[in-house]
Amino acid sequence: MIGPVSVLSIQSSVAYGHVGNSAAVFPVQRLGVEVWPVPTVVFSNHAGYPAWRGPLLPAEQVREVVRGVEELGVLPEVDLVLSGYLGGEDIGEVVLEAAAAVRAANPGAVFACDPVMGNAESGAYVHPAIPALMRERMVPAADLVTPNQFELGLLTGTAPRTLPETLAAVDAVRASGPGTVLVTSVLRPDAPEGTLEMLAVHGDEAWLVRTPRFASKSHGSGDVTAALFTTHLTRDGDVRDALERTASSVYDLLRLTRDSGRWELQLVAAQDHFAHPAMQFRAERVA
């Protein structure tokens, strides 16, 4: 699809800070895109803090929200369904039902799955049933997936480190269903020290972009990355451009967050970097 996009985003929501929909919605809106957020949890803050409050919404309540949107007759307007962290298997079923309903209403719609399961530093932090659900149901149903390198390993039963290993794991994921894979954090032993890379594979093209790596960890940065990349690609159809725009925006978001001395992502301060990326990083074609 080339042109305006509307996004149905089914993710967690927090009152304080920015993860899930609380991270994804505003940056995409600054691109001039309509976003319809459906919460799967409503927490006071993300689980990186010692404590939080609020409900993990039952699957039937999330289903009711999607059903209510469907009854408005507006699903044909949805161009992109975006899913993120799943609190349980039952929420996964709701996401799959929503993606199927949108595709029935708009056959050209894209289902983008961010298979949130963990990272190299923390390991897996989801319910033990979620990796199998992702491998067997969610990822095969998706058009586009956005794992980090650790999650790519969970999806393929491998531990990719080098670029050839990472590309091979991406090929294995694509063979299961999705045509496009964005690996949101590639850490390989032969990359320059202090750098982080992202790899996007789409059609017969594979592109790698490298940025400086920040020492501090920022919860929600992966949610922003997935939302921006999937929206850029769905709207404009150019994988290299989508990758470069996303890398530029997320780098400046993390830079401003670091300079602020605060833990939470500084989304508002970075808003112009979403709408007008500096395009300071260029991607290299690697396949």
Side-chain angles (χ1 to χ4, degrees), residues 26-31 228 249 252-253 256 266-277:
F26 178 64
V28 174
Q29 288 174 330
R30 285 294 284 124
L31 299 180
L228 288 175
S249 296
D252 280 323
L253 168 63
L256 288 172
Q266 298 300 293
L267 287 189
V268 174
Q271 61 180 294
D272 287 343
H273 296 290
F274 306 138
H276 307 289

Side-chain angles (χ1 to χ4, degrees), residues 143-230:
D143 301 294
L144 190 162
V145 295
T146 58
N148 59 39
Q149 194 173 27
F150 173 82
E151 292 161 343
L152 180 66
L154 288 182
L155 292 174
T156 56
T158 63
R161 296 180 70 246
T162 66
L163 183 57
E165 289 170 348
T166 303
L167 285 166
V170 167
D171 286 343
V173 168
R174 296 180 77 205
S176 74
T180 304
V181 177
L182 172 70
V183 186
T184 59
S185 58
V186 176
L187 292 169
R188 54 191 177 103
D190 54 341
E193 186 175 355
T195 64
L196 180 70
E197 294 170 324
M198 288 198 294
L199 172 70
V201 183
H202 175 73
D204 61 355
E205 300 178 30
W207 294 89
L208 189 74
V209 67
R210 179 182 301 137
T211 68
R213 183 185 183 191
F214 294 98
S216 58
K217 177 177 174 58
S218 296
H219 290 267
S221 58
D223 301 321
V224 175
T225 300
L228 288 175
F229 178 81
T230 56

Side-chain angles (χ1 to χ4, degrees), residues 81 83 92 95-97 99-100 103 109-113 133-145 173-174 176-179:
V81 178
S83 71
V95 172
L96 289 169
E97 292 168 11
R103 282 170 164 162
V110 172
F111 172 31
C113 172
L133 174 68
M134 287 294 181
R135 282 192 302 270
E136 297 166 11
R137 301 285 311 283
M138 303 292 293
V139 168
D143 301 294
L144 190 162
V145 295
V173 168
R174 296 180 77 205
S176 74

Side-chain angles (χ1 to χ4, degrees), residues 7-148:
V7 181
L8 179 69
S9 183
I10 309 173
Q11 301 194 54
S12 57
S13 177
V14 295
Y16 178 79
H18 301 291
V19 298
N21 269 338
S22 301
V25 171
F26 178 64
V28 174
Q29 288 174 330
R30 285 294 284 124
L31 299 180
V33 169
E34 289 285 351
V35 187
W36 308 347
V38 176
T40 55
V41 308
V42 182
F43 286 167
S44 55
N45 49 274
H46 64 68
Y49 288 90
W52 64 93
R53 293 182 181 271
L56 174 66
L57 299 183
E60 189 53 37
Q61 291 187 11
V62 181
R63 183 177 284 112
E64 281 293 294
V65 173
V66 176
R67 186 175 295 136
V69 173
E70 184 176 12
E71 289 171 350
L72 295 174
V74 295
L75 288 191
E77 299 176 25
V78 178
D79 306 300
L80 171 62
V81 178
L82 176 62
S83 71
Y85 173 80
L86 301 178
E89 292 179 272
D90 51 355
I91 298 294
E93 293 297 329
V94 176
V95 172
L96 289 169
E97 292 168 11
V102 168
R103 282 170 164 162
N106 177 9
V110 172
F111 172 31
C113 172
D114 184 8
V116 179
M117 294 182 284
N119 56 59
E121 293 78 19
S122 305
Y125 50 64
V126 293
H127 187 279
I130 295 298
L133 174 68
M134 287 294 181
R135 282 192 302 270
E136 297 166 11
R137 301 285 311 283
M138 303 292 293
V139 168
D143 301 294
L144 190 162
V145 295
T146 58
N148 59 39

